[in-house]
Amino acid sequence: MGESLLTAGRRAEGQEGDASARQAALFADAGLERRADGSLLLGRVPLEDIAQAAGTPAYVYNAGAVRARFAALAHALTPLDHRICYAVKANGSLAILRVLRDLGAGADIVSVGELRRVLAAGFSPEKVVFSGVGKTRDELAEACAAGIGQINLESLEELETLARVAQLQEARIRVGIRVNPDVTLNTHPYLTTGTAAAKFGIPADLVLDTAHRVAAHPRLELTGLAMHLGSQLLDTAPYLRGATRLVELVLQVRAGGISTLRALDIGGGLGIRYKDEEPLDPERLAATIRPLVSGLGLALHLEPGRYLVGSAGVLLATVLYRKHAGGKDFVVVDAGMNDLVRPSHYNAHHEVVVLRDQRRQVQQVDVVGPICETGDFLALERPLPAVEPGERVAILCAGAYGFVMGSTYNARPRPPEVVVDEARWAIARPREGLEDLMHGEQVTPLADAP
Ligand SMILES: Cc1ncc(COP(=O)(O)O)c(C=O)c1O
């Protein structure tokens, strides 16, 4: 027998209830608020006002939400001697870096470009750690000359390059070893970095030898062991396994006569809510790690990126067209995979909401961009109110790995970045112009090969 109308109605109500509870949680994470008149505010600024002034597509970040995340993590870690080194790769906006610097954060960088950014934002070089599997000699030289806190080695070959840099600069350099702890994860394969087959870090069985080589060099000092397991982790179990491995290695290194270690770095990776996930609770993480590290006499370093900024950002877009084809409804918007590549690249889920809620009928649609790729989508088969061309939408949880992973593919200038903070807002980075796309290019006659 089919379900009664009453049961179906209750089920639909239940689903609606679930969806609105889900949305309420996402809104709370971001600092979004739906007013009774249907308008949507971020950090108490109406997003329509920003879209009017800055145009779309546009990234908007809520500084208040970043501060709230930092405070929650700092609170959880507080009994421990700790440092939160923000992973700049997640969002390198100078305005966001300023917010984090003012909170006393350190920074985790992976290129000299990021080094210049953190220095421009006023971070103390001592609080900067440099990770990355392919640091060039020039990058290492610039980082060492800037006096950064620690270079995290990812291979023995890199150690040779670093040793040459140290010799040339006649400087003393603090070195960490990024350990590959071989921990498998339940996340997207592209977001897994700490398994044996990954290109990252030095395998655990080579760490002791590497430590001795560093310690034997007159200009290098081994100050830390580090790991980064991967990204969007929702469970503390991998941290427990990885940190246990790190602590074993600390004991081995010390037993080998090296007594210069100062910090243990457990990387970033703290997962956030994109849909209905239970985000990783910093209190739970701290409770997991604390028994392992207290008594070791080492500071605990973390390198979160997504956790601090992911929920705090939205991408605004305008509906260009509605289209029905192949039995599907498409909403074509002016933001594409060049602006936010996560849906295409990781099949990532980002909620899409209207900037002005008019309580319209909900339809199942694909939200797609203007790029000439079938993979150019922001949301597939998603319930969305029946929007009309000219209306605006916000793509949520776009604060991490959004703008920074963007490109100018299809010759599309990069969108602006806007920061809101307690009812005030400013354009932190203007929209690129079409002229920027050809900046420095010349059509020169080709020379003959010698
Ligand atoms: C070395 C390192 N640290 C920290 C992070 C930040 O990760 P998440 O944004 O997931 O916290 C990454 C991300 O790839 C990384 O490679």
Side-chain angles (χ1 to χ4, degrees):
M1 207 176 79
E3 69 182 343
S4 72
L5 267 181
L6 193 61
T7 324
R10 282 205 185 116
R11 192 162 54 85
E13 265 174 28
Q15 282 169 354
E16 243 176 57
D18 290 351
S20 63
R22 208 172 74 197
Q23 195 170 81
L26 286 166
F27 277 25
D29 290 346
L32 282 160
E33 178 195 346
R34 179 76 73 190
R35 286 268 162 91
D37 65 358
S39 60
L40 187 65
L41 284 74
L42 182 68
R44 296 198 280 127
V45 180
L47 286 171
E48 271 292 354
D49 290 359
I50 293 176
Q52 286 280 355
T56 60
Y59 276 96
V60 189
Y61 311 128
N62 181 6
V66 175
R67 284 195 206 96
R69 282 294 166 98
F70 188 92
L73 187 54
H75 180 265
L77 296 170
T78 286
L80 295 166
D81 175 13
H82 73 273
R83 181 176 296 163
I84 299 171
C85 294
Y86 169 60
V88 176
K89 65 174 77 67
N91 183 328
S93 159
L94 289 177
I96 293 296
L97 291 177
R98 266 302 165 91
V99 169
L100 287 158
R101 183 215 61 176
D102 288 350
L103 292 167
D108 165 57
I109 59 163
V110 289
S111 70
V112 85
E114 289 188 354
L115 174 65
R116 300 253 180 124
R117 278 192 169 272
V118 296
L119 296 180
F123 278 78
S124 151
E126 294 227 327
K127 288 188 180 176
V128 179
V129 290
F130 192 178
S131 315
V133 65
K135 307 178 204 78
T136 66
R137 185 173 164 160
D138 285 350
E139 286 183 306
L140 289 167
E142 186 166 332
C144 294
I148 74 161
Q150 186 170 291
I151 309 267
N152 282 347
L153 278 183
E154 302 235 7
S155 65
L156 279 171
E157 291 72 10
E158 186 187 351
L159 173 56
E160 284 171 31
T161 310
L162 183 63
R164 278 200 297 276
V165 168
Q167 212 67 47
L168 274 173
Q169 293 194 359
E170 300 186 2
R172 189 153 177 81
I173 296 170
R174 291 180 290 266
V175 176
I177 297 176
R178 175 167 173 186
V179 178
N180 182 325
D182 193 16
V183 172
T184 33
L185 304 176
N186 186 17
T187 188
H188 191 284
Y190 293 176
L191 298 178
T192 294
T193 55
T195 55
K199 67 179 175 179
F200 301 98
I202 294 184
D205 58 346
L206 295 181
V207 168
L208 196 55
D209 179 41
T210 311
H212 280 299
R213 288 184 199 220
V214 172
H217 196 285
R219 296 212 173 275
L220 304 181
E221 183 182 12
L222 185 70
T223 50
L225 293 188
M227 69 174 187
H228 172 69
L229 299 168
S231 206
Q232 185 55 11
L233 309 186
L234 297 167
D235 184 9
T236 55
Y239 286 99
L240 181 61
R241 271 179 275 141
T244 304
R245 195 85 198 89
L246 279 193
V247 171
E248 285 164 9
L249 291 166
V250 167
L251 300 180
Q252 284 178 29
V253 166
R254 283 178 169 168
I258 300 168
S259 56
T260 48
L261 288 178
R262 293 183 213 165
L264 198 70
D265 181 344
I266 60 166
L270 286 75
I272 62 168
R273 184 182 352 252
Y274 283 98
K275 189 180 173 191
D276 49 12
E277 306 90 332
E278 199 50 56
L280 194 102
D281 174 10
E283 299 285 346
R284 257 194 323 129
L285 180 61
T288 306
I289 299 298
R290 202 177 300 130
L292 281 175
V293 299
S294 43
L296 268 188
L298 297 177
L300 178 69
H301 289 184
L302 268 80
E303 302 170 357
R306 187 189 311 270
Y307 171 81
L308 293 175
V309 296
S311 305
V314 301
L315 173 61
L316 304 182
T318 302
V319 176
L320 298 175
Y321 303 105
R322 303 256 351 193
K323 184 172 168 173
H324 185 82
K328 294 178 85 170
D329 280 308
F330 293 95
V331 171
V332 184
V333 298
D334 63 356
M337 64 187 286
N338 69 301
D339 302 304
L340 181 66
V341 77
R342 298 193 70 260
S344 310
H345 188 56
Y346 303 115
N347 208 14
H349 180 101
H350 286 264
E351 286 287 315
V352 182
V353 298
V354 288
L355 286 207
R356 185 157 287 279
D357 188 11
Q358 294 164 339
R359 300 190 177 279
R360 281 159 303 183
Q361 196 197 346
V362 169
Q363 300 173 330
Q364 191 88 344
V365 296
D366 283 5
V367 181
V368 299
I371 301 284
C372 296
E373 297 274 350
T374 306
D376 177 31
F377 57 84
L378 296 163
L380 296 179
E381 296 180 13
R382 220 42 100 59
L384 195 71
V387 284
E388 296 293 334
E391 280 190 54
R392 297 201 170 101
V393 296
I395 296 124
L396 306 191
C397 301
Y401 306 106
F403 182 89
V404 282
M405 288 181 86
S407 74
T408 58
Y409 185 40
N410 278 202
R412 287 167 47 86
R414 270 177 258 260
E417 291 179 290
V418 175
V419 174
V420 299
D421 197 4
E422 297 295 328
R424 292 177 307 157
W425 68 278
I427 296 180
R429 186 187 213 270
R431 182 182 305 284
E432 274 181 4
L434 286 165
E435 64 287 355
D436 295 322
L437 296 177
M438 289 182 273
H439 176 73
E441 250 185 273
Q442 286 173 24
V443 185
T444 45
L446 303 182
D448 290 333

